[in-house]
């Protein structure tokens, strides 16, 4: 007797946009993910063909919806910006994310992170960075001869793809854009903008007071 077997067409396979896992296990991990993703996204704001995402599922192989990973931050050069529910590599000109970041939380295990390193090595990541905010420990790998090899030393390292410099101090990791600007948290950005607005308001008030005194002296400030 011949038993007929059927295969599911690739076009009908569903690729879930969520793995049911939280984006972060604690507030510090979440803040780091948002800061790194936001900093890199801002860095390439004017380039329409650099896609930056956080906690987005990446499926490297069509037809296999079990083979996936969600990097905390991923950067794909040569891919347009825009909304995606997941990163389906075969729909992205088969371009894998070239740079990925992971931020450790207490819930991560050595086995889990080793599997991620193997995944990133197998499926074409060029640069991989792993930061542990609790231990203030940074690891990095770069593709050399088709293999991700450890970056030594990592302190003061400049990413070839991003142009971002990594600086590790007793206070923690600091990232600097090519123009020397430090990546900031949302709160730091908000505080800076608030202070800038306050300085602008104070300058305007001083200018108004000066103009009033000039008018008292019979001088038209607009004519100066």
């Amino acid at each position: 007797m011949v038993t007929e077997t059927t295969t599911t067409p690739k076009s009908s396979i569903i690729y879930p946009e969520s793995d049911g896992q939280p984006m972060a296990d604690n507030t510090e991990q979440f803040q780091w993910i948002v800061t790194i993703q936001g900093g890199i996204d801002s860095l390439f704001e004017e380039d329409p063909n650099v896609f930056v995402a956080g906690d987005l599922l990446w499926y490297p192989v069509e037809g296999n919806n079990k083979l996936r990973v969600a990097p905390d931050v991923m950067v794909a050069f040569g891919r347009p910006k825009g909304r995606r529910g997941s990163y389906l590599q075969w729909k992205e000109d088969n371009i894998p994310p070239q740079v990925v970041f992971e931020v450790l939380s207490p819930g991560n295990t050595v086995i889990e992170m080793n599997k991620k390193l193997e995944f990133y090595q197998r499926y074409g990541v060029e640069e991989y960075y792993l930061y542990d905010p609790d231990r203030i420990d940074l690891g990095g790998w770069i593709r050399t001869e088709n293999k991700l090899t450890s970056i030594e030393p990592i302190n003061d390292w400049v990413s070839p793809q991003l142009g971002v410099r990594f600086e590790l101090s007793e206070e923690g990791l600091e990232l600097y854009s090519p123009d020397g600007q430090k990546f900031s948290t949302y709160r730091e950005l908000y505080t800076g903008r608030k202070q800038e607005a306050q300085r602008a308001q104070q300058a305007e008030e001083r200018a108004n007071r000066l103009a009033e005194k000039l008018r008292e002296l019979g001088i038209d400030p607009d004519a100066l």
Side-chain angles (χ1 to χ4, degrees):
M1 183 178 68
V2 177
T3 302
E4 292 185 1
T5 60
T6 59
T7 58
T8 303
K10 289 181 179 181
S11 60
S12 65
I13 295 176
I14 296 173
Y15 300 88
E17 296 182 357
S18 172
D19 57 6
Q21 300 297 316
M23 177 177 176
D25 290 340
N26 54 54
T27 55
E28 185 173 23
Q29 185 189 26
F30 178 81
Q31 179 174 286
W32 273 107
I33 293 171
V34 172
T35 299
I36 294 172
Q37 189 276 333
I40 296 174
D41 208 16
S42 297
L43 186 61
F44 293 99
E45 181 182 10
E46 302 300 324
D47 192 330
N49 291 309
V50 179
F51 174 68
V52 185
D55 194 45
L56 187 72
L57 280 172
W58 163 27
Y59 293 90
V61 178
E62 185 178 11
N64 189 342
N65 62 3
K66 303 297 182 184
L67 186 64
R68 63 191 186 184
V69 70
D72 286 334
V73 179
M74 65 192 294
V75 186
F77 291 89
R79 300 310 304 147
K81 300 184 188 303
R83 184 197 177 280
R84 291 166 175 79
S86 59
Y87 191 87
L88 306 177
Q89 187 171 314
W90 57 95
K91 292 186 177 182
E92 305 283 354
D93 286 347
N94 208 34
I95 295 175
Q98 293 96 336
V99 184
V100 298
F101 287 79
E102 295 286 354
V103 181
L104 279 179
S105 71
N108 293 125
T109 66
V110 173
I111 293 176
E112 175 189 2
M113 301 316 295
N114 283 341
K115 285 182 177 179
K116 284 193 173 184
L117 176 59
E118 292 172 2
F119 187 103
Y120 296 146
Q121 177 168 290
R122 180 173 183 180
Y123 293 105
V125 168
E126 298 288 334
E127 299 177 39
Y128 169 38
Y129 301 101
L130 174 62
Y131 180 56
D132 183 346
D134 290 332
R135 296 174 55 199
I136 309 182
D137 185 50
L138 175 67
W141 293 263
I142 189 166
R143 188 167 294 275
T144 305
E145 296 180 354
N146 205 33
K147 181 180 179 181
L148 287 176
T149 58
S150 181
I151 299 169
E152 298 290 346
I154 189 68
N155 194 29
D156 222 29
W157 167 262
V158 177
S159 160
Q161 298 272 355
L162 305 175
V164 171
R165 182 170 63 86
F166 298 78
E167 187 173 305
L168 204 59
S169 67
E170 293 181 356
E171 287 73 32
L173 175 63
E174 294 179 348
L175 302 176
Y176 293 89
S177 60
D179 64 1
Q181 293 294 315
K182 178 184 171 183
F183 280 26
S184 300
T185 64
Y186 175 81
R187 176 173 290 182
E188 289 169 338
L189 289 171
Y190 176 78
T191 300
R193 289 171 182 168
K194 187 176 180 180
Q195 291 173 343
E196 184 178 342
Q198 289 173 342
R199 287 193 293 267
Q201 183 179 358
Q202 291 168 354
E204 183 179 359
E205 290 173 352
R206 286 195 297 269
N208 290 336
R209 289 196 298 269
L210 176 60
E212 186 60 32
K213 286 193 175 295
L214 288 173
R215 290 189 184 98
E216 291 174 359
L217 296 171
I219 301 172
D220 182 3
D222 296 328
L224 297 177

